[in-house]
Amino acid sequence: MTLSLSPAALFVLMVLCVPFLWSGLVALLRRICAGETSLSDQQERAVLVLMVLPVFCGLAVVFLPGLMPHIPSPLPPMGEPQQIGGLGVVVAEETAAPGFNLMPWVWATLILFYLAGAALGLGRFARGYVRMREILRHSIGRDAVGDVRLTGAPVSPFATPCGRVILPSAYSKTASEEETALIIAHERAHIARRDPFWFLILAAADAVFWFNPFIRVQTSHCRLAAELDCDARVLGAAPQMRKAYAATLIRVLKHTAGAAPTCAPAVLSPRTKGDIRVRLGDIMQPKPRRRNRRATAVLAALGLVLAPLSAWQIAHAAEVNFTVRPLEGHMSSPYGERVHPINKKPKMHKGTDIAAPLGTPIYAPASGKVLRVTLSDAGYGNMLELDHGDGVITRYAQLDTIVADGKATVRAGELIARVGASGQATGPHLHVEVIVNGEHVDPATVLDLPGPKVKPHKD
């Protein structure tokens, strides 16, 4: 059980770093298997899915804590953790001395940097989609069928999610009927494959994964595979038109310079015009498009490797991460043997006392279930217990009011109670205990607790 990573650190590690390294490995193996050639459309999609799947598992780690069963991590723990009473629970060796901690600022800066890039990318995506809708709205029907429409915008022919083919009227006026028929057939092939929706997903992936060159290159491979398949469908119906079809693509490239909404499948666009040589070569010298068996085997192996990686990521969703300080104050009595302050007899103190003014708010240090609420004026006084899963329970005693009373669960950082002196107490304070698999442990090794009161230095 790891108790040291904050949600921000988990996000950077599990959502950004681990998927980045994994996608790099997948990209390397894809290149070894396929080289410079394109895999089949289905294989390229499978590669992309393998690259992004750990991201969703990482999101589960951050946003779904406590919902998954505990699965031991296959990776060794970092550093030199210690165990408590042979229970196998990893905790911090020592509570760090008070001071400025730079790491939360580092994690927050990295997340803000990522979110800023994603916001810019999604903004471009949104502008491209709005532009596509505007072009469609101002277009006019070309014929009685109605699925082909003309636009005055200087764009490459493209297909829309609503099943329309958009042709630039300037190009349509100069193109022959034969050329126009080939272009329309190409875009209708995109519509039949539901590529307009697929290209929206690819454009969104480029925006969200702007920092990951491996995923962005793979989205380009997916676009090329889609174009090659549409080219093959057009020429499968008219194999005698190869030279005319190649000449048509070149003419469209010269006429529109590849301008098209970035989120739509176009004959040529800024994201695909660099692949024109590959497409022309495939058109003029067609090769039987078979699935790369070696690539299929490697993809299957990667899927098997991804399973334990995803299990390890998801396992962290069940691990307790005590990242919130329960309250502010000062430690008045630590965990361990002491003389009881009321009956003056030696006794094991199974918790830690934090002195604080009456009514000081107490927050849940981690997400958990409300296990027990007891109202009393003796012993522990008003008491609250939280079950954080994985055998970890925290107990809060000497409370004034219990805010979490009546709730089933609480989130990390949620107000759960207020400091009081409701039982055997010499003054207002919080008595907090940590129980792991039925055994008490020192709360200071698990929770972020205030230190002892610092006495003023006398000159």
Side-chain angles (χ1 to χ4, degrees):
M1 178 182 61
T2 304
L3 304 176
S4 57
L5 289 179
S6 66
L10 277 176
F11 184 90
V12 173
L13 177 64
M14 296 297 181
V15 180
L16 302 182
C17 294
V18 171
F20 180 89
L21 297 175
W22 170 258
S23 61
L25 173 63
V26 175
L28 175 63
L29 293 178
R30 181 207 172 278
R31 185 174 181 84
I32 292 174
C33 292
E36 297 295 333
T37 61
S38 176
L39 298 175
S40 70
D41 183 53
Q42 292 81 3
Q43 286 177 327
E44 296 289 16
R45 295 189 184 205
V47 171
L48 183 61
V49 170
L50 279 174
M51 285 184 173
V52 302
L53 189 57
V55 175
F56 296 100
C57 296
L59 290 173
V61 171
V62 178
F63 296 108
L64 301 178
L67 297 185
M68 309 300 290
H70 176 67
I71 305 172
S73 168
L75 301 181
M78 293 182 289
E80 298 181 356
Q82 65 180 17
Q83 292 185 334
I84 297 179
L87 297 176
V89 179
V90 180
V91 298
E93 287 191 19
E94 217 175 289
T95 302
F100 179 71
N101 187 356
L102 181 63
M103 291 313 297
W105 294 93
V106 172
W107 302 129
T109 301
L110 289 174
I111 291 176
L112 289 175
F113 183 66
Y114 162 73
L115 292 177
L120 289 174
L122 290 173
R124 288 192 293 268
F125 167 78
R127 287 195 300 271
Y129 183 78
V130 170
R131 182 179 178 231
M132 179 182 67
R133 298 292 301 177
E134 285 296 309
I135 291 174
L136 176 61
R137 188 165 66 89
H138 292 98
S139 63
I140 59 175
R142 178 178 178 271
D143 50 34
V145 177
D147 68 327
V148 180
R149 303 185 67 82
L150 299 177
T151 177
V155 296
S156 175
F158 66 91
T160 68
C162 62
R164 300 290 188 268
V165 176
I166 304 298
L167 295 179
S169 41
Y171 169 78
S172 182
K173 291 176 182 178
T174 59
S176 66
E177 286 296 325
E178 183 180 75
E179 289 178 346
T180 302
L182 290 172
I183 294 300
I184 292 174
H186 178 91
E187 295 308 322
R188 282 175 174 166
H190 275 305
I191 293 172
R193 287 167 37 92
R194 303 187 69 82
D195 281 340
F197 298 99
W198 174 234
F199 274 52
L200 284 173
I201 294 173
L202 295 178
D206 285 334
V208 172
F209 301 108
W210 62 270
F211 66 97
N212 192 321
F214 308 113
I215 291 180
R216 289 173 63 85
V217 168
Q218 187 56 35
T219 60
S220 297
H221 289 322
C222 289
R223 290 185 182 92
L224 176 59
E227 297 296 346
L228 290 174
D229 187 70
C230 288
D231 292 340
R233 292 190 183 200
V234 172
L235 295 174
Q240 74 282 3
M241 302 295 292
R242 292 189 180 277
K243 289 185 178 180
Y245 187 55
T248 299
L249 293 184
I250 295 174
R251 192 164 183 274
V252 171
L253 176 63
K254 292 179 179 179
H255 189 273
T256 63
T262 55
C263 55
V267 172
L268 294 166
S269 71
R271 302 249 177 121
T272 61
K273 64 181 180 181
D275 300 323
I276 186 64
R277 293 183 180 179
V278 177
R279 293 177 61 187
L280 291 176
D282 197 69
I283 291 169
M284 298 308 298
Q285 296 179 344
K287 297 177 182 179
R289 301 198 66 79
R290 299 175 181 173
R291 290 191 179 185
N292 188 317
R293 293 184 178 180
R294 183 170 61 174
T296 301
V298 170
L299 289 175
L302 285 174
L304 294 176
V305 173
L306 182 60
L309 174 64
S310 300
W312 171 66
Q313 283 184 291
I314 294 175
H316 282 69
E319 295 183 348
V320 187
N321 288 279
F322 293 100
T323 58
V324 177
R325 174 169 285 192
L327 80 165
E328 295 298 333
H330 68 272
M331 185 183 298
S332 58
S333 182
Y335 175 89
E337 291 289 342
R338 70 169 186 175
V339 176
H340 195 280
I342 295 179
N343 60 31
K344 307 303 181 182
K345 294 181 180 180
K347 187 178 181 180
M348 177 65 183
H349 189 219
K350 296 182 179 181
T352 299
D353 291 345
I354 306 297
L358 184 69
T360 298
I362 302 170
Y363 303 98
S367 299
K369 298 178 181 178
V370 176
L371 185 63
R372 182 168 61 154
V373 173
T374 301
L375 301 179
S376 173
D377 57 1
Y380 278 119
N382 297 334
M383 184 187 69
L384 168 68
E385 288 184 0
L386 299 180
D387 184 353
H388 302 281
D390 207 24
V392 181
I393 294 173
T394 54
R395 178 179 293 162
Y396 310 86
Q398 307 298 341
L399 305 175
D400 180 43
T401 57
I402 302 177
V403 181
D405 190 8
K407 294 185 179 181
T409 60
V410 294
R411 301 285 297 177
E414 183 177 342
L415 178 66
I416 56 174
R418 294 187 181 276
V419 170
S422 51
Q424 286 188 338
T426 57
H429 71 284
L430 169 67
H431 173 85
V432 58
E433 299 179 6
V434 176
I435 305 166
V436 179
N437 294 335
E439 298 286 339
H440 283 80
V441 302
D442 185 354
T445 62
V446 175
L447 304 177
D448 177 19
L449 297 177
K453 190 173 184 179
V454 179
K455 295 181 180 180
H457 179 70
K458 295 183 179 180
D459 295 331

